Amino acid sequence: MVEAVETMDGWYSLHDLRTIDWSSWKLASEAERKEAIDSLDQLIAKWETVEEAGNGSQVLHKVVGQKADLIFMFLRPTMEELSDMETELNKSKMGEFLLPAHSYVSVVELSKYRPAKDGVDPETLPETQKRLKPILPKWEHICFYPMDRRRSGEENWYTLEKDVRAKMLYEHSKTGRKYAGKVSQVITGSIGLDDWEWGVTLFAHEPLQFKKIVYEMRFDEVSSRYGEFGEFFVGNLLPREDIPKYLEV
Amino acid sequence: MVEAVETMDGWYSLHDLRTIDWSSWKLASEAERKEAIDSLDQLIAKWETVEEAGNGSQVLHKVVGQKADLIFMFLRPTMEELSDMETELNKSKMGEFLLPAHSYVSVVELSKYRPAKDGVDPETLPETQKRLKPILPKWEHICFYPMDRRRSGEENWYTLEKDVRAKMLYEHSKTGRKYAGKVSQVITGSIGLDDWEWGVTLFAHEPLQFKKIVYEMRFDEVSSRYGEFGEFFVGNLLPREDIPKYLEV
Amino acid sequence: MVEAVETMDGWYSLHDLRTIDWSSWKLASEAERKEAIDSLDQLIAKWETVEEAGNGSQVLHKVVGQKADLIFMFLRPTMEELSDMETELNKSKMGEFLLPAHSYVSVVELSKYRPAKDGVDPETLPETQKRLKPILPKWEHICFYPMDRRRSGEENWYTLEKDVRAKMLYEHSKTGRKYAGKVSQVITGSIGLDDWEWGVTLFAHEPLQFKKIVYEMRFDEVSSRYGEFGEFFVGNLLPREDIPKYLEV
Amino acid sequence: MVEAVETMDGWYSLHDLRTIDWSSWKLASEAERKEAIDSLDQLIAKWETVEEAGNGSQVLHKVVGQKADLIFMFLRPTMEELSDMETELNKSKMGEFLLPAHSYVSVVELSKYRPAKDGVDPETLPETQKRLKPILPKWEHICFYPMDRRRSGEENWYTLEKDVRAKMLYEHSKTGRKYAGKVSQVITGSIGLDDWEWGVTLFAHEPLQFKKIVYEMRFDEVSSRYGEFGEFFVGNLLPREDIPKYLEV
Amino acid sequence: MVEAVETMDGWYSLHDLRTIDWSSWKLASEAERKEAIDSLDQLIAKWETVEEAGNGSQVLHKVVGQKADLIFMFLRPTMEELSDMETELNKSKMGEFLLPAHSYVSVVELSKYRPAKDGVDPETLPETQKRLKPILPKWEHICFYPMDRRRSGEENWYTLEKDVRAKMLYEHSKTGRKYAGKVSQVITGSIGLDDWEWGVTLFAHEPLQFKKIVYEMRFDEVSSRYGEFGEFFVGNLLPREDIPKYLEV
C-alpha cells in the first residue's frame, strides 16, 4: 500500500556552520581574542555538562574548504534549546568573529519499516532510545549532507508501495553494515523543518571512508534511482583544548 | 472540465523575515538598544490594537537556524497597509539592526471546489469569513513554506479536470484533519503576487507535528505527483514581553 | 508552418528596481535628505515633461516585500535614453541611497498572428501605434514578471505550427478580455535583450485581480503546457507628491 | 558518424563586465576622478595601438540595466595577454571604482562542417584568418550571451550524426544571413574554458535587431530543440572620447 | 552486474581559489605589501620542501576572468594537512588581502575497471603509486572543473552493468590518449567529500588544448549521455618568482 511509514523521533538537531572573519580576528586586540576564546570555551563547557547529564549532545569540527570554517552539530530534546544555543553563540564574544555560513534543522529519526518483534513496540527498547538520543561520537572526521527521495515521472519514491520501499532500504542497510566500525551514521528527518527531506551525518576515523561508503551506496537502487543529494560538508575534529591553538594568530 | 476553480480571498499577507545584525547590536549603546526595543514594542502594541479591533492579525516567532532570526507574519485588509507596516519597521530604531532575510506576499485563500450547500454562497457564511480573515493562533511554533502545483509532461495539475483535482484535494484534506488540534493551517494564494503559487503557514504546539503532517501528506497523490516545495522556515513563538530578554546582550 | 511570427515593436522598456538603504538614509543629515528628495523630484518632473510631449512614459511604485523598495518602469523611443535615465538616477543625490535590486530590458511588442484586415498593415493604424507607445496607466497597483515559452520534449512552443500557436494565443486573449477595466496589460519582448523571452506588466486598482487573472490564465493551454514564469514583483503606486512623506524619517 | 567537428580557432576572448561604484566615485575628489579617467584613457590608448598593429581588438559599451555598467570585450593572441589586461585594469586608478560583475573566457571559433573546396584547407585562406582574428566593429550596440547544445534524452546534440548537425547549422546560417549589414556576429568557443559551450556576441546599429534575429533563429530546429541559453547582456557603445562625460558627476 | 567499481585512492586534494582585494591592497602601505608577499613566499617555500621530500605537491595559477584571481591546488597525504594549509594561508599577512572565491575537496582516484594482470594488484605497482601521489606538472595552464555521472530516467550511469561502464570509459580513455604530451590530467574523486562526484584537473602548454580535448570527449557516449559538468576555471601559471611583479601596484 502507498502509505507513509511511521517514524520514531528523538532529539532535535541543528547543524550550525560558521566562517571565521579572519581579518577582524587579526585586527582585534590580544585581550579581545582571549575574551572571545574564553567565551567559546565556556559555552562548550556548559554544553558538555548537558551531554554528561544525558540531556543532549554536540560535536565541533573544522570544515575543509571555503564553505565554512566550523561546523557545530547540536542535539537537544527541544527546538527551544537549539534556538537558545544558536542565540548564545551569536551573543558571545566569539560570535562577533563568526559569520553565518549554513545551517540545517532536523530531528533524529528511525523508521518502522520492519514489523514489531513479538509485539514489542521498538520505540520502547533501550537500544532504540539510545539511537534516538545519541551521544555523538567524537571521531576524527565528520561528513554532512542533506538528501531527498526523488519524485519525478517513473521514479517517484512517494508512489511506491511501502514494502517495495522497505525492501530497497533493507538492501541499502546491508551496504551500510559493511562499514561498521569505520563509519558511524546519524539520520535526521527534516521534512517540514528544512529544505531537504533528510540530513545524513557520518563520522569516520579516515575521510576516505566517506567516499567509499557514499560511492558504494550510490549503486543501490534506492540511491541510484531515488536519491537526490545536496551540498556535502566535511570536517576534521576540533577538540575543545585545541581551539586556542587553532585560533592563534 | 479543465477550468480554474473559483477562490474566496480574504486578508492580504506578508511574511517578513529579518536577520539581527548582532555585531551592530552589541556595538550600540545601552540607550540605543533600549530605544530600539521600545520602538519595536510600540509597533507591536499598535498592531495588537488593530488585531483586537478585528482589522488584521500578526504573529512573531524566532527562526531556528541561519535563514533568519525573526519571522513576522502580517495579515491586513489591503496591500497598502502591509506596505506601511514593512516601511514602519524599516524606519523604526529597531529597523537599523534588522537585515532583510526573506519575504513573501500572498492573500488568504479558500477554494470553492465543493458545490454550494442549499444554494448558499459559502463566502457569505460567518465561518468562511472567519477563515478568510483569521486571527493567527499564538501557538508555540510556526512553519512556513511556499509551493507550486507541478506542470510537467504527464504530471500537470493545470491540465487535469476540475473534479479530478477536487477529489485529490479532498483526500488530502482528510490527512490534514487527522492533525486537528495539533496543527493549525493558513493557506495563502500567491499566483501573480510572489514567486510560488501558494504559501502554507502551519502552527503547532510541538514542532515534530510539522514533520509528521508534511511527511504523511507527501504520500497523498496531490503532493507526491503534483507538489513542488520551496524553502521551509520554522520558528519558536516570541511573545512581546520576551523580546527584551531575547535581545539582551 | 513552423515559423516565427512577425512582431510590431514600439518603445524600449527598462524596469529598474531599487532598495532603499534605510540605514544610510537615517544617518544622512536633514539637508542631505532634502537634497536627495529634491533630486528625485526634479528627475521625475523632467520625465513627466517627456511623457506630456508623447516621447515616452514612466511610472513609479513601492514594491511590497523585500525584493526591492521601488520599481520604476521607463519607456522611451531609444535604448540610449533608457541608459541615460538609469545613469542620471545613479548620479543623482537620491541615487546614493538606492541599492540596485533588479532590472529588466525589453521593448513593447505586439505580434501579427492575425491576418491583416483588408490588406491594411496593422502597424500603420493609430490604435496600434498607441499600444506600441503606451502612456502607462497611473493605477494603484503594478505587477511585473518575466516569462518564457517552454521548449522541452513534447512541450515545445517553437516547434508548433504558427496557426496552432495563434489559436492558443487567441483563446488566451479571451481570458484576458474578461478583466477589461480591472487589469491593464503591457507586453514587452526581451528575446535577445534580457534573460527571459517576454516581460508582462499588469496594472490594477485592486491587487487581488493580479491573482485572479494569472490564476485563471494558468489553465489556458498556452500557459499550463507552454508557460514558464520567473520572479513576480508587486507594488503600490507612489505618486510624485507622496515621495517626501514616504521617505520621511 | 557521431564525431566532433574540427574547429579553427583564432584569438582568445575575454568579456569583462564591471559595475561602477557610484557612491565611491562621488565621494572621490575631483583630482582622483581625473586620475582615474586618465588611467582608463591611457589603457584604451595602449590597447588601440595593439589593434592598429593587428595584434588584437577590443570594444567598450555601457550595459543597460543593473547587470553591469560597462562591458569590455577583449581579443588577443594569447591567454596571458588577456590576463594581463584584466590585471592592468584591476590595478589602474579607475579599477578602484569598478566592481566585478561578470566575465567570460573563450576563443574565436569557426567550424569545418563543410568539406574543403578543391582540397584547400580553409584555415589558410585570408578571409578565414580575418574572421578568426577579427577587428571588432565599433557599432552602436552590443549583445552578448552564452549557450549550450542540449544533451537530454531524445534531444542530444552530441549523439547526432555529424551531417545531421551540419544540415541544421546550415539552415540556421541562412536565417543569420538575412541580417547581413544589420547584425554582425562573432562566435567564440568556450568548452573547457568557461561554464557554457559557446559565447555569442552580436553587434547592431539598432538594438531591435538583436530581438529580431534571436527570435527568428529560435524557430530553427537547431535552437528550438538543441539550444540552451544563458544570461543576455546588451549595451550601447561608449567611445573613448565620451568616457569623461559619462563619468562626470 | 550493477556494482560499484573498486577505486585506488591517493593523496587528498584541495583546490583553493581566491580573489585579490585590489582596493585594500592598494590602500596598504609598501611595508605591509612587502610583508604580505614575503608571507606567501615563505609558505610556498615551505610547501616546496614538502614536495621535494615526496610528501605532497602543489601548484599556483592566475585565474582568467572574474571567478577568482588565484587558484592553488594542494595535494597531501591527509585531510588534516590540507586544512592546516588553508588555515595557514588565512592567517598569513597575504591572507588579509585574499577573499574566498571557491574551493573543492577531493582525493586522487584511479578505478580498477580492468582485471589485474597476472594476479598482481595494480595498487602495488610503482607506476600506480606515482599516479596516486602525483607531483603536479608546472605547465603553463590549468583547467579545473567538477562533474557528475547522470542519474535520470533512461540515462542512469549507476544502473548500468559494470562492464558496460568499463567499455565506455575505455573508449573515452582512447580519446584522452590522443592528447598525450599536450594535456596532462589528474582525476580526483569527491563523492561524499564535495558537491560533485569527481574533479577533473587538466594541465596544458596551450589553453586551446583544453577546448579541443573537452570538446572531442563530449561526443564520447560516456560524456554525451552520462556527463554533467559544473563550473570551469582556467588559469595561467604563476611561478613563485613572478609573484612580486604580479602584485606590484
Side-chain angles (χ1 to χ4, degrees):
Chain A
M1 201 186 138
V2 180
E3 59 174 350
V5 71
E6 225 184 306
T7 60
M8 299 175 282
D9 301 277
W11 283 341
Y12 289 97
S13 165
L14 177 64
H15 292 77
D16 187 312
L17 292 92
R18 310 273 176 148
T19 295
I20 294 169
D21 184 344
W22 290 104
S23 296
S24 303
W25 184 247
K26 290 175 76 177
L27 282 175
S29 69
E30 187 79 13
E32 274 188 301
R33 285 199 298 261
K34 191 177 176 321
E35 187 191 340
I37 291 173
D38 286 352
S39 73
L40 180 57
D41 189 70
Q42 282 157 28
L43 282 177
I44 296 177
K46 193 170 94 174
W47 299 337
E48 285 179 351
T49 313
V50 175
E51 185 171 290
E52 283 154 21
N55 294 325
S57 185
Q58 60 276 324
V59 73
L60 170 61
H61 289 78
K62 292 174 290 180
V63 176
V64 186
Q66 296 173 3
K67 291 175 183 169
D69 285 312
L70 299 175
I71 176 170
F72 295 91
M73 181 176 180
F74 298 131
L75 297 180
R76 285 294 181 275
T78 68
M79 201 70 104
E80 282 86 354
E81 285 160 287
L82 292 179
S83 181
D84 288 350
M85 293 175 83
E86 188 191 356
T87 305
E88 260 179 343
L89 191 55
N90 285 334
K91 291 182 180 179
S92 74
K93 185 69 191 173
M94 191 68 222
E96 297 174 25
F97 305 98
L98 299 180
L99 307 171
H102 194 72
S103 68
Y104 205 75
V105 178
S106 52
V107 58
V108 181
E109 178 186 301
L110 296 172
S111 57
K112 287 184 174 173
Y113 271 107
R114 283 198 264 170
K117 272 186 204 158
D118 316 319
V120 179
D121 178 355
E123 199 156 356
T124 61
L125 299 172
E127 59 263 36
T128 304
Q129 284 301 310
K130 215 172 141 185
R131 291 178 64 200
L132 290 174
K133 300 170 184 175
I135 298 307
L136 297 170
K138 289 4 176 215
W139 289 12
E140 289 86 340
H141 302 282
I142 196 171
C143 170
F144 170 69
Y145 60 95
M147 59 168 294
D148 277 352
R149 288 287 164 219
R150 191 175 283 176
R151 290 183 299 112
S152 92
E154 295 304 298
E155 296 178 333
N156 192 325
W157 181 254
Y158 293 91
T159 57
L160 295 176
E161 299 287 318
K162 186 175 160 185
D163 59 352
V164 173
R165 288 164 13 229
K167 189 163 178 301
M168 277 196 260
L169 285 168
Y170 175 67
E171 291 301 317
H172 201 46
S173 72
K174 287 199 291 188
T175 307
R177 247 170 296 152
K178 292 190 208 166
Y179 291 83
K182 291 183 184 161
V183 176
S184 172
Q185 171 183 280
V186 178
I187 299 293
T188 52
S190 46
I191 294 187
L193 299 177
D194 214 321
D195 301 348
W196 295 77
E197 298 174 346
W198 284 275
V200 179
T201 309
L202 307 176
F203 298 93
H205 302 297
E206 201 193 2
L208 188 57
Q209 298 303 324
F210 296 141
K211 185 167 81 87
K212 289 199 175 289
I213 191 174
V214 181
Y215 183 54
E216 188 171 351
M217 285 187 152
R218 195 144 300 179
F219 287 89
D220 293 340
E221 191 181 1
V222 75
S223 288
S224 65
R225 296 190 56 215
Y226 297 102
E228 306 276 9
F229 304 95
E231 277 190 290
F232 284 76
F233 301 91
V234 290
N236 302 326
L237 189 68
L238 179 54
R240 183 177 160 198
E241 60 272 20
D242 292 357
I243 293 174
K245 182 148 182 293
Y246 171 59
L247 289 169
E248 191 179 298
V249 286
Chain B
M1 200 186 140
V2 179
E3 58 175 349
V5 71
E6 226 184 305
T7 60
M8 299 177 282
D9 302 277
W11 283 341
Y12 288 97
S13 165
L14 176 65
H15 291 77
D16 187 312
L17 291 92
R18 308 274 176 146
T19 295
I20 295 169
D21 183 344
W22 289 106
S23 296
S24 302
W25 185 247
K26 290 175 77 176
L27 281 176
S29 69
E30 187 79 13
E32 275 189 299
R33 284 199 298 260
K34 192 179 175 321
E35 186 190 341
I37 291 173
D38 286 352
S39 73
L40 180 57
D41 189 70
Q42 283 157 28
L43 282 176
I44 297 178
K46 193 169 94 173
W47 299 337
E48 285 179 351
T49 313
V50 175
E51 186 171 287
E52 282 153 23
N55 293 326
S57 185
Q58 60 276 324
V59 74
L60 170 60
H61 288 77
K62 291 175 290 180
V63 175
V64 186
Q66 296 173 2
K67 291 174 182 170
D69 285 311
L70 299 175
I71 175 169
F72 295 91
M73 181 175 179
F74 298 131
L75 298 180
R76 286 294 182 276
T78 68
M79 201 69 105
E80 281 85 353
E81 286 160 287
L82 292 179
S83 180
D84 288 349
M85 293 175 83
E86 188 192 356
T87 304
E88 261 178 340
L89 191 55
N90 285 334
K91 290 181 178 179
S92 73
K93 185 68 190 174
M94 192 68 222
E96 297 175 24
F97 305 98
L98 298 179
L99 307 170
H102 194 73
S103 68
Y104 205 76
V105 178
S106 52
V107 59
V108 181
E109 177 186 303
L110 295 171
S111 56
K112 287 184 174 175
Y113 270 107
R114 284 199 263 170
K117 274 188 203 155
D118 315 319
V120 179
D121 178 354
E123 198 156 357
T124 61
L125 299 172
E127 59 262 37
T128 303
Q129 284 301 311
K130 214 172 142 186
R131 290 177 63 200
L132 290 173
K133 299 168 184 175
I135 299 306
L136 297 170
K138 282 25 175 201
W139 289 12
E140 290 86 339
H141 302 281
I142 196 171
C143 170
F144 169 69
Y145 61 94
M147 60 167 295
D148 279 351
R149 289 286 164 222
R150 192 175 282 175
R151 291 183 298 112
S152 91
E154 295 304 299
E155 295 179 333
N156 192 324
W157 181 254
Y158 294 90
T159 57
L160 295 176
E161 297 288 317
K162 186 175 160 184
D163 58 353
V164 173
R165 290 169 5 233
K167 189 163 178 300
M168 276 196 261
L169 285 168
Y170 175 66
E171 291 300 319
H172 199 47
S173 72
K174 287 199 291 189
T175 307
R177 248 170 296 151
K178 291 191 209 168
Y179 290 85
K182 290 184 187 161
V183 176
S184 172
Q185 172 184 279
V186 179
I187 300 292
T188 53
S190 46
I191 294 188
L193 299 177
D194 214 320
D195 301 348
W196 295 78
E197 298 174 346
W198 285 275
V200 180
T201 309
L202 307 177
F203 298 93
H205 301 297
E206 201 194 1
L208 189 57
Q209 298 304 324
F210 296 141
K211 185 168 83 87
K212 289 201 174 289
I213 191 173
V214 180
Y215 183 54
E216 187 171 351
M217 285 186 151
R218 194 144 299 177
F219 287 89
D220 293 340
E221 191 181 2
V222 75
S223 288
S224 64
R225 296 191 55 213
Y226 297 102
E228 306 275 8
F229 304 95
E231 275 189 292
F232 284 76
F233 301 91
V234 291
N236 303 325
L237 189 67
L238 179 54
R240 183 177 161 199
E241 60 273 18
D242 292 357
I243 294 174
K245 181 145 183 295
Y246 171 59
L247 288 170
E248 191 180 299
V249 286
Chain C
M1 200 186 140
V2 179
E3 58 174 352
V5 71
E6 226 184 306
T7 60
M8 299 177 282
D9 302 277
W11 283 340
Y12 289 96
S13 166
L14 176 65
H15 291 78
D16 187 312
L17 292 93
R18 308 273 176 147
T19 295
I20 295 169
D21 183 345
W22 289 105
S23 296
S24 302
W25 185 247
K26 291 176 75 177
L27 281 176
S29 69
E30 187 79 13
E32 275 188 299
R33 285 198 299 259
K34 192 179 175 321
E35 187 191 340
I37 291 173
D38 286 351
S39 73
L40 179 58
D41 189 70
Q42 282 157 28
L43 281 177
I44 297 177
K46 192 169 95 174
W47 299 337
E48 285 178 351
T49 313
V50 176
E51 186 172 288
E52 283 153 21
N55 294 324
S57 185
Q58 60 277 322
V59 74
L60 170 60
H61 288 77
K62 291 174 291 181
V63 176
V64 186
Q66 296 173 2
K67 291 174 183 170
D69 285 311
L70 299 174
I71 175 169
F72 296 91
M73 180 176 179
F74 299 131
L75 297 181
R76 286 294 181 277
T78 67
M79 201 70 104
E80 281 86 354
E81 286 160 286
L82 292 180
S83 181
D84 287 350
M85 294 175 83
E86 187 191 357
T87 305
E88 260 179 341
L89 191 55
N90 285 334
K91 290 181 178 179
S92 74
K93 185 68 190 172
M94 191 68 222
E96 297 174 24
F97 305 98
L98 299 179
L99 307 171
H102 194 73
S103 68
Y104 204 76
V105 178
S106 53
V107 59
V108 181
E109 177 186 304
L110 295 172
S111 58
K112 287 185 173 174
Y113 270 107
R114 284 199 264 170
K117 274 187 205 156
D118 316 319
V120 179
D121 178 354
E123 198 157 356
T124 61
L125 299 173
E127 59 264 36
T128 304
Q129 283 302 310
K130 216 172 141 186
R131 291 177 63 200
L132 290 174
K133 299 169 184 174
I135 300 305
L136 297 170
K138 283 20 176 205
W139 289 13
E140 289 86 339
H141 302 282
I142 196 171
C143 170
F144 169 69
Y145 62 94
M147 60 168 294
D148 278 351
R149 289 285 164 223
R150 191 175 281 177
R151 291 183 300 111
S152 91
E154 295 304 299
E155 296 179 332
N156 191 325
W157 181 255
Y158 294 90
T159 57
L160 294 176
E161 298 287 318
K162 186 175 160 183
D163 58 353
V164 173
R165 286 163 15 227
K167 188 162 178 300
M168 276 196 262
L169 285 168
Y170 175 66
E171 290 300 319
H172 200 47
S173 72
K174 287 200 291 191
T175 307
R177 248 171 295 151
K178 292 189 207 166
Y179 290 84
K182 290 184 186 161
V183 176
S184 172
Q185 171 184 279
V186 178
I187 300 292
T188 52
S190 46
I191 293 188
L193 299 177
D194 214 320
D195 302 347
W196 294 77
E197 297 174 346
W198 285 275
V200 180
T201 309
L202 307 176
F203 297 93
H205 302 298
E206 200 193 3
L208 188 58
Q209 299 303 324
F210 296 142
K211 187 169 82 88
K212 288 201 176 288
I213 191 173
V214 181
Y215 183 54
E216 188 171 350
M217 285 186 152
R218 195 144 299 178
F219 287 88
D220 294 340
E221 191 181 2
V222 74
S223 288
S224 64
R225 295 190 55 213
Y226 297 101
E228 306 276 9
F229 304 95
E231 276 189 292
F232 284 76
F233 301 91
V234 290
N236 303 325
L237 189 67
L238 179 55
R240 182 178 161 198
E241 60 273 19
D242 292 357
I243 293 174
K245 181 146 181 296
Y246 171 59
L247 287 170
E248 192 180 297
V249 286
Chain D
M1 201 186 138
V2 179
E3 58 174 352
V5 71
E6 226 184 306
T7 60
M8 298 177 282
D9 302 275
W11 283 340
Y12 288 96
S13 165
L14 176 65
H15 291 78
D16 187 312
L17 292 93
R18 308 273 176 148
T19 294
I20 295 169
D21 184 345
W22 289 105
S23 296
S24 303
W25 185 246
K26 290 175 75 178
L27 281 175
S29 69
E30 187 79 12
E32 274 188 300
R33 285 198 297 261
K34 190 177 176 323
E35 187 191 341
I37 291 173
D38 286 352
S39 73
L40 180 57
D41 189 71
Q42 283 156 27
L43 282 177
I44 296 177
K46 193 169 93 173
W47 299 336
E48 285 178 351
T49 313
V50 175
E51 185 172 288
E52 283 154 21
N55 294 325
S57 185
Q58 60 276 324
V59 73
L60 171 60
H61 288 78
K62 291 174 289 180
V63 176
V64 185
Q66 296 173 2
K67 291 175 183 169
D69 286 311
L70 299 174
I71 175 169
F72 295 91
M73 181 177 179
F74 299 131
L75 298 180
R76 285 296 182 276
T78 66
M79 200 71 104
E80 281 86 354
E81 286 161 287
L82 292 179
S83 181
D84 288 350
M85 294 175 83
E86 187 192 355
T87 304
E88 260 178 343
L89 191 55
N90 285 335
K91 290 182 179 179
S92 74
K93 185 68 191 173
M94 191 68 223
E96 297 174 25
F97 304 98
L98 299 179
L99 307 171
H102 194 72
S103 68
Y104 205 76
V105 178
S106 52
V107 59
V108 181
E109 178 186 303
L110 295 171
S111 57
K112 287 184 172 173
Y113 271 107
R114 286 200 263 171
K117 273 187 203 157
D118 317 317
V120 179
D121 178 355
E123 198 156 356
T124 62
L125 300 172
E127 59 263 37
T128 303
Q129 284 302 310
K130 216 174 141 185
R131 290 178 64 200
L132 290 174
K133 299 170 184 174
I135 299 306
L136 298 170
K138 297 340 180 234
W139 289 13
E140 289 86 338
H141 302 281
I142 196 171
C143 170
F144 169 69
Y145 61 94
M147 59 168 294
D148 279 351
R149 289 285 165 223
R150 191 175 282 177
R151 290 184 299 112
S152 90
E154 295 305 298
E155 296 179 331
N156 192 324
W157 182 255
Y158 294 90
T159 57
L160 295 175
E161 298 287 317
K162 185 175 162 184
D163 58 353
V164 173
R165 292 171 0 234
K167 189 162 177 304
M168 277 195 262
L169 286 167
Y170 175 67
E171 291 301 318
H172 200 46
S173 72
K174 287 199 292 189
T175 307
R177 248 169 298 152
K178 292 189 207 167
Y179 290 84
K182 291 184 186 162
V183 176
S184 172
Q185 170 182 279
V186 178
I187 299 292
T188 52
S190 46
I191 294 187
L193 299 177
D194 214 321
D195 302 347
W196 294 78
E197 298 174 347
W198 285 275
V200 179
T201 309
L202 307 176
F203 298 93
H205 302 297
E206 201 194 0
L208 189 58
Q209 298 303 322
F210 296 141
K211 185 167 83 88
K212 288 199 176 291
I213 191 174
V214 180
Y215 183 54
E216 187 170 351
M217 285 185 152
R218 194 144 300 178
F219 288 88
D220 294 340
E221 191 181 2
V222 75
S223 287
S224 65
R225 296 189 56 213
Y226 297 102
E228 306 275 9
F229 304 95
E231 277 189 290
F232 284 76
F233 302 90
V234 291
N236 302 325
L237 189 68
L238 179 55
R240 182 177 161 197
E241 60 273 18
D242 291 357
I243 293 174
K245 181 148 181 297
Y246 170 59
L247 288 170
E248 192 179 297
V249 286
Chain E
M1 202 187 138
V2 179
E3 59 174 350
V5 71
E6 224 184 307
T7 60
M8 299 176 283
D9 302 276
W11 283 340
Y12 289 96
S13 165
L14 176 65
H15 291 78
D16 187 312
L17 292 92
R18 309 272 176 149
T19 295
I20 295 169
D21 183 345
W22 290 104
S23 297
S24 302
W25 185 248
K26 289 175 77 177
L27 281 175
S29 69
E30 187 79 12
E32 274 188 300
R33 285 199 297 261
K34 191 178 175 321
E35 187 191 342
I37 291 173
D38 286 352
S39 74
L40 180 58
D41 190 70
Q42 283 157 28
L43 281 177
I44 297 177
K46 192 170 94 175
W47 299 335
E48 285 178 351
T49 312
V50 175
E51 185 171 289
E52 283 153 21
N55 294 324
S57 185
Q58 60 276 323
V59 73
L60 170 61
H61 288 78
K62 292 175 289 180
V63 175
V64 185
Q66 296 173 1
K67 290 174 184 170
D69 285 312
L70 299 174
I71 175 169
F72 295 90
M73 181 177 179
F74 298 131
L75 297 180
R76 286 295 181 275
T78 68
M79 201 71 103
E80 281 85 354
E81 286 161 287
L82 292 180
S83 181
D84 287 350
M85 293 175 82
E86 187 192 356
T87 304
E88 260 179 343
L89 191 55
N90 285 334
K91 291 182 179 179
S92 74
K93 185 68 191 173
M94 191 68 222
E96 296 174 25
F97 305 98
L98 299 179
L99 307 171
H102 194 72
S103 69
Y104 205 75
V105 178
S106 52
V107 59
V108 181
E109 177 185 301
L110 295 171
S111 58
K112 287 184 173 175
Y113 270 107
R114 285 200 262 168
K117 273 186 202 158
D118 315 319
V120 179
D121 178 356
E123 199 156 355
T124 61
L125 300 172
E127 59 263 36
T128 303
Q129 284 302 310
K130 215 173 142 185
R131 291 178 63 201
L132 290 174
K133 300 169 184 175
I135 299 305
L136 298 170
K138 298 340 181 233
W139 290 13
E140 290 86 339
H141 302 281
I142 195 171
C143 170
F144 169 68
Y145 61 95
M147 59 168 294
D148 278 351
R149 288 287 164 219
R150 191 175 283 177
R151 290 184 300 113
S152 91
E154 294 305 298
E155 296 178 332
N156 192 325
W157 181 256
Y158 294 90
T159 58
L160 295 175
E161 299 287 317
K162 185 174 159 184
D163 58 353
V164 173
R165 290 170 2 234
K167 189 164 177 300
M168 277 196 261
L169 285 168
Y170 175 67
E171 291 301 317
H172 200 46
S173 72
K174 287 199 293 188
T175 308
R177 247 170 298 150
K178 291 191 208 166
Y179 290 84
K182 290 182 185 162
V183 176
S184 172
Q185 171 183 279
V186 178
I187 300 292
T188 51
S190 47
I191 294 187
L193 299 177
D194 214 321
D195 301 348
W196 295 77
E197 298 174 347
W198 284 275
V200 179
T201 308
L202 307 176
F203 298 93
H205 302 297
E206 201 194 1
L208 189 58
Q209 298 304 324
F210 296 142
K211 186 168 82 88
K212 288 200 177 290
I213 191 173
V214 180
Y215 183 53
E216 187 171 351
M217 285 186 152
R218 194 144 298 178
F219 288 88
D220 294 340
E221 191 181 1
V222 75
S223 287
S224 66
R225 296 190 56 214
Y226 297 101
E228 306 275 8
F229 304 96
E231 277 190 291
F232 284 76
F233 301 91
V234 290
N236 303 325
L237 189 67
L238 179 54
R240 183 177 160 197
E241 61 272 18
D242 292 357
I243 294 175
K245 180 148 183 295
Y246 170 59
L247 288 170
E248 190 179 299
V249 286

